[in-house]
Amino acid sequence: MLKQLITAICLLAAASAHAQVDVTDPWARATGKGQKATGVFMNLTAKKATRLVGVKSELTPVAQVHKMKMDKDVMKMQSIKALDLPAGQTVSLKPGSYHVMLMDLKAPVAEGSHVVVTLMFEDAAGVKTQQEVHAVAKKSSMGSADKHKSGEHHSH
């Protein structure tokens, strides 16, 4: 059992060391009473041209990458199939822009809790990888949310 645990830790450390995408400042919006959806936000910097092609979370059966856009003076949100991550450029997932959307939550997301999402990437050669991200849930209003800096840097 100890040998299996050590092997798992070594594999996780190796995967983190070779991660193709650096993830910084991950955070999630804590939910209020009755809310069944939340957003997860972070900065992504790919070492080589990559695409974010999916997301999953044990908190919900419905996890998607979304974008926000103005349409005739109305802000609309829609799911996207992929988000390009150009090599060496930081792409911010933030309120009012690209973000991870968790819908049909199984339980509320309490302030201070950890929200774990698995990001799915595909590089230009078609190689698919996954990366687990831990985000701390924070309460924030729409106005101050995009100014939030967690001070924590996680890349798993």
Side-chain angles (χ1 to χ4, degrees):
M1 180 68 163
L2 181 59
K3 185 177 179 180
Q4 291 171 328
L5 181 60
I6 291 171
T7 300
I9 291 170
C10 289
L11 287 173
L12 182 60
S16 293
H18 298 294
Q20 293 300 308
V21 178
D22 290 326
V23 179
T24 57
D25 297 323
W27 67 280
R29 188 172 317 224
T31 58
K33 186 176 181 172
Q35 280 184 294
K36 289 295 202 181
T38 192
V40 183
F41 314 96
M42 65 199 78
N43 295 312
L44 303 173
T45 308
K47 296 175 183 171
K48 60 183 181 179
T50 303
R51 294 169 21 129
L52 174 59
V53 295
V55 62
K56 59 185 176 182
S57 175
E58 290 187 9
L59 294 176
T60 179
V62 185
Q64 301 173 338
V65 179
H66 279 192
K67 74 174 181 178
M68 303 286 289
K69 69 175 188 170
M70 290 298 291
D71 183 15
K72 299 178 184 172
D73 296 327
V74 176
M75 183 67 83
K76 293 189 175 184
M77 179 173 57
Q78 68 184 59
S79 174
I80 59 173
K81 292 184 187 229
L83 175 61
D84 290 332
L85 304 174
Q89 295 181 27
T90 299
V91 176
S92 294
L93 278 62
K94 59 187 178 184
S97 183
Y98 295 108
H99 60 279
V100 170
M101 193 74 198
L102 305 179
M103 298 174 288
D104 296 333
L105 293 168
K106 296 175 185 176
V109 176
E111 183 176 10
S113 66
H114 284 259
V115 174
V116 180
V117 295
T118 301
L119 303 178
M120 293 169 271
F121 300 104
E122 184 175 344
D123 69 15
V127 176
K128 295 182 179 180
T129 57
Q130 295 186 5
Q131 199 165 329
E132 191 172 275
V133 175
H134 294 252
V136 176
K138 308 282 184 185
K139 281 191 178 181
S140 64
S141 66
M142 285 300 286
S144 64
D146 56 349
K147 297 177 186 171
H148 171 77
K149 296 289 181 196
S150 70
E152 296 184 33
H153 299 271
H154 297 278
S155 179
H156 301 276

